[in-house]
Amino acid sequence: ILNVEQSPQSLHVQEGDSTNFTCSFPSSNFYALHWYRWETAKSPEALFVMTLNGDEKKKGRISATLNTKEGYSYLYIKGSQPEDSATYLCALGMDSSYKLIFGSGTRLLVRP
Amino acid sequence: SAVISQKPSRDICQRGTSLTIQCQVDSQVTMMFWYRQQPGQSLTLIATANQGSEATYESGFVIDKFPISRPNLTFSTLTVSNMSPEDSSIYLCSSQQDTQYFGPGTRLTVL
């Protein structure tokens, strides 16, 4: 069974704090790594798709890095805001079928 | 990007009944997927629904329990049949374009 692990499970931070989460996956099974942001009652929002070892992507205050050799990706949020409160999901694409295997997510709560 | 809508957004159903969830994409797409998230669990792929072919189910999911239709390139339905409380989940559809886009989900509670 292929496991995608995310840590921590949940995180409470103060507004203005910077934070980061981890996604771990088996390095031998890799095609693409996706990050999503999911707010309750809304569609999961695609943040990043990364495919190359050493990839680094940025969207506003959010950035992500990828290490395919050791099987992990980090998501960073700089200067967290209350509107960043959501569950952050990573998902592994294993092949060109586009099927995704999701981690259980990191639930972020940013206190004003 | 894609805008995906789902109906219903939520429902409460009695065990033994069936519910059909509709998924509409705002553009034509070849590949659509159905996922579910049981309480406390990860999003899990149920099946791949490509237009013009039978849906392909993942291990642990069968057509009799989760029949899927894909009548055209913008629409799909998932039926949850003969429901039990274990089917209480959030069901999401998605479409594959430059990345995978998701609908807002259908929150199902089975009593």
Side-chain angles (χ1 to χ4, degrees), chain A residues 24-91:
Chain A
S24 303
F25 52 87
S27 57
S28 59
N29 300 87
F30 182 82
Y31 188 81
L33 194 285
H34 300 243
W35 281 101
Y36 286 88
R37 179 175 176 277
W38 193 9
E39 289 181 75
T40 304
K42 294 187 178 179
S43 302
E45 174 195 355
L47 292 174
F48 305 113
V49 181
M50 296 188 285
T51 56
L52 299 176
N53 185 45
D55 233 353
E56 191 168 333
K57 296 208 172 178
K58 190 174 179 182
K59 187 176 182 178
R61 293 180 291 100
I62 305 176
S63 61
T65 61
L66 177 65
N67 183 321
T68 60
K69 292 184 179 178
E70 295 183 34
Y72 65 83
S73 176
Y74 293 140
L75 187 80
Y76 302 90
I77 302 179
K78 185 177 176 182
S80 302
Q81 300 297 307
E83 57 265 30
D84 296 329
S85 298
T87 297
Y88 291 82
L89 301 171
C90 77

Side-chain angles (χ1 to χ4, degrees), chain A residues 4 9 34 36 38-46 48-49 87 89 96-105, chain B residues 4 31 33 35 37 40-45 48 56 58 90 92 96-105 107:
Chain A
V4 177
Q9 189 174 14
H34 300 243
Y36 286 88
W38 193 9
E39 289 181 75
T40 304
K42 294 187 178 179
S43 302
E45 174 195 355
F48 305 113
V49 181
T87 297
L89 301 171
S96 57
S97 71
Y98 299 108
K99 292 191 260 189
L100 297 179
I101 297 174
F102 280 86
S104 54
Chain B
I4 301 177
M31 301 184 78
F33 303 89
Y35 292 81
Q37 185 187 44
Q41 304 295 313
S42 305
L43 267 173
T44 301
L45 181 64
T48 303
T56 305
E58 298 300 303
I90 301 174
L92 292 100
Q96 179 63 40
Q97 291 158 284
D98 55 312
T99 187
Q100 202 160 131
Y101 297 96
F102 284 82
R107 186 178 293 268

Side-chain angles (χ1 to χ4, degrees), chain B residues 74-102:
Chain B
T74 63
F75 188 77
S76 179
T77 67
L78 170 78
T79 299
V80 187
S81 303
N82 188 24
M83 288 184 283
S84 66
E86 293 70 40
D87 294 321
S88 297
S89 299
I90 301 174
Y91 292 85
L92 292 100
C93 65
S94 69
S95 71
Q96 179 63 40
Q97 291 158 284
D98 55 312
T99 187
Q100 202 160 131
Y101 297 96
F102 284 82

